Amino acid sequence: MAVCNICPRKCGVDRAKNNGYCGMSERVKISRAALHMWEEPCISADKGSGTVFFSGCNMKCVFCQNKDISHDGFGKEITVEHLADIMLRLQSEGALNINLVTPTHYTLQIIEAVKIARQKGLNLPIVCNTSGYENVRTVKLLKDTVDVWLPDFKYIDDEKAVRYSNAPGYTEIAKRALDEMVSQQGECVFDKDGVIQKGVIVRHLVMPGGVEDAKKITRYLYRRYGDKIYISLMSQYTPCTDLSLYPEIDRKVTAAEYDEVVDFAVDIGVENGFIQDGERASESFIPPFNLEGVD
């Protein structure tokens, strides 16, 4: 990490001395480590996902619902050994998996922490919950660490990727990374209770006015991977930050917009998928970032 190129930013910062584009040094920083009930049913089920929220992010989306940790860097620095112990504690609390949220900039530290935890008895699947803006080389580094890939596929339009996330080349970068993820895991594998043990679930957050983009992304994913992956269409977009400079996305997604995307997915034959029912755009999906489970 002396010349950090772990993500597509390749900012070249020596993170022992300075923070990278992600806003973080080489020291692991997390804001919450607790059971989380609001992931896809095959991840949280009725017991909960052992979710570790990392501070910092290599995307910095203007609409981020986790701005306090992704942009502002709230959290507490811990050692790799402490991270391993947190994983073991979550397992003892009944977690169905260890779910690493926005972990890219700590890839090397996570590989070591998981190795330590497994030596001490960790036997849960490792879920990598990522923006999809990944170097293929980094995805390959995680081959023996990650069991379930949970990437976003945010944009099919690079103009929007730049406008909302300052992420040039996002679409092609995400496609290449996803190819590697699917190559590693193949078809999804579930236990007898329907909890995922291995595979790829691709998320797309439907944006205000983004129906056609969502359809294009759904079509691309289904044509390329068919039933090898699950597609999770999310309706929870909620303006949580000042979006006065982006008025076109300064509102919630309507029920009509979301339903049109879901109907399209059904019409083209998608069967392996998840949708969000009930109250859309609820802030209950956003946990409190209060250092729970960090000490």
Side-chain angles (χ1 to χ4, degrees):
M1 302 184 78
V3 184
C4 190
N5 62 358
I6 205 77
C7 86
R9 302 287 181 188
K10 298 182 180 179
C11 59
V13 168
D14 181 351
R15 284 174 54 197
K17 300 176 181 177
N18 297 290
N19 292 349
Y21 182 95
C22 58
M24 295 292 113
S25 72
E26 67 178 1
R27 293 270 296 176
V28 175
K29 193 174 185 181
I30 67 175
S31 62
R32 177 182 170 89
L35 297 179
H36 190 57
M37 302 303 300
W38 299 288
E39 305 288 33
E40 284 74 6
C42 67
I43 295 176
S44 288
D46 58 350
K47 293 183 178 179
S49 176
T51 307
V52 181
F53 286 88
F54 291 90
S55 304
C57 182
N58 72 331
M59 286 287 282
K60 305 289 182 68
C61 304
V62 298
F63 52 83
C64 183
Q65 295 177 327
N66 297 346
K67 181 178 179 294
D68 289 349
I69 62 173
S70 62
H71 289 230
D72 300 337
F74 173 78
K76 180 178 178 180
E77 289 186 347
I78 63 171
T79 65
V80 167
E81 292 77 14
H82 190 176
L83 179 58
D85 288 341
I86 285 172
M87 295 177 186
L88 291 165
R89 175 182 57 76
L90 290 168
Q91 177 172 268
S92 72
E93 293 175 354
L96 297 172
N97 43 65
I98 302 299
N99 184 354
L100 308 174
V101 182
T102 322
T104 300
H105 45 296
Y106 292 125
T107 293
L108 302 180
Q109 296 90 330
I110 285 167
I111 290 170
E112 179 156 357
V114 171
K115 182 178 179 181
I116 293 169
R118 283 174 173 165
Q119 289 171 345
K120 292 183 176 181
L122 182 71
N123 57 16
L124 298 177
I126 304 296
V127 179
C128 187
N129 188 334
T130 164
S131 68
Y133 198 49
E134 304 284 0
N135 283 335
V136 170
R137 177 175 175 272
T138 300
V139 176
K140 288 181 176 180
L141 284 175
L142 288 161
K143 181 177 181 181
D144 296 324
T145 300
V146 171
D147 301 291
V148 179
W149 287 100
L150 184 60
D152 292 335
F153 200 115
K154 293 180 181 290
Y155 305 108
I156 200 73
D157 179 343
D158 270 356
E159 183 177 343
K160 292 178 182 176
V162 171
R163 175 164 170 76
Y164 302 136
S165 302
N166 189 30
Y170 176 92
T171 303
E172 289 306 314
I173 287 170
K175 285 179 178 179
R176 291 195 295 270
L178 184 53
D179 278 349
E180 175 60 26
M181 294 172 191
V182 176
S183 175
Q184 287 181 15
Q185 300 301 338
E187 294 187 5
C188 294
V189 176
F190 303 86
D191 69 9
K192 61 181 178 59
D193 298 315
V195 178
I196 191 166
Q197 304 296 300
K198 177 178 179 289
V200 180
I201 301 172
V202 184
R203 288 173 163 175
H204 176 65
L205 178 65
V206 180
M207 299 282 289
V211 168
E212 292 309 313
D213 283 354
K215 289 179 180 179
K216 289 177 183 177
I217 288 171
T218 303
R219 182 189 294 113
Y220 170 79
L221 293 173
Y222 188 59
R223 284 182 175 175
R224 185 154 186 86
Y225 305 112
D227 293 330
K228 280 188 176 181
I229 67 168
Y230 276 67
I231 300 172
S232 181
L233 296 172
M234 306 175 76
S235 64
Q236 70 189 60
Y237 178 88
T238 306
C240 296
T241 61
D242 180 7
L243 293 174
S244 56
L245 295 177
Y246 310 92
E248 71 276 14
I249 58 170
D250 195 11
R251 64 172 175 83
K252 296 180 180 181
V253 171
T254 68
E257 287 175 316
Y258 182 66
D259 290 344
E260 184 175 343
V261 175
V262 172
D263 289 345
F264 175 81
V266 172
D267 288 345
I268 66 172
V270 175
E271 294 184 358
N272 290 352
F274 298 100
I275 60 174
Q276 289 182 324
D277 290 326
E279 182 183 358
R280 293 181 170 89
S282 169
E283 294 188 20
S284 66
F285 291 107
I286 309 170
F289 298 117
N290 55 8
L291 300 181
E292 180 181 353
V294 176
D295 292 324

